[in-house]
C-alpha cells in the first residue's frame, strides 16, 4: 500500500498497520474475483471483458466497514 506521496507503507500481519477485518475481506475478494474470472474464461469469455460486481460489507469487529483499513480512515 502507498501513501499520498507514493511512499510504500508496510501493511499486513506483524506491522503497526495490520487490520484483520481488512485482510480477511481482501482475501475473500481476491478469491471471488479469481473464481469468477476462471469461470468466465472456462465459458469462453475473453479475459479483457470488463466484469463489475458489488456488495455491501458490514463487520461486527473493530472495523465495521472493512473495505478500507481502519488505520487509513
Amino acid at each position: 500500500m502507498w501513501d499520498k506521496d507514493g511512499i510504500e507503507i508496510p501493511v499486513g500481519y506483524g506491522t503497526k498497520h495490520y487490520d484483520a477485518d481488512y485482510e480477511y475481506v481482501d482475501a475473500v475478494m481476491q478469491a471471488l474475483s479469481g473464481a469468477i474470472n476462471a469461470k468466465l474464461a472456462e465459458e469462453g469469455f475473453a479475459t479483457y471483458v470488463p466484469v463489475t460486481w458489488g456488495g455491501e460489507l458490514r463487520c461486527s469487529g473493530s472495523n465495521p466497514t472493512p473495505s478500507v483499513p481502519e488505520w487509513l480512515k
Side-chain angles (χ1 to χ4, degrees), residues 2-7:
W2 290 265
D3 70 5
K4 62 182 172 56
D5 298 320
I7 298 171

Side-chain angles (χ1 to χ4, degrees), residues 1-3 7-11 22 69 71-72:
M1 184 166 285
W2 290 265
D3 70 5
I7 298 171
E8 189 170 4
I9 299 170
V11 296
Y22 175 78
W71 59 268
L72 196 60

Side-chain angles (χ1 to χ4, degrees), residues 1 5 7 11 14 16 26 29 31 33 41 44 56 60 64 71:
M1 184 166 285
D5 298 320
I7 298 171
V11 296
K16 71 177 186 175
D26 188 48
M29 292 302 203
S33 295
E56 186 174 328
S60 60
W71 59 268

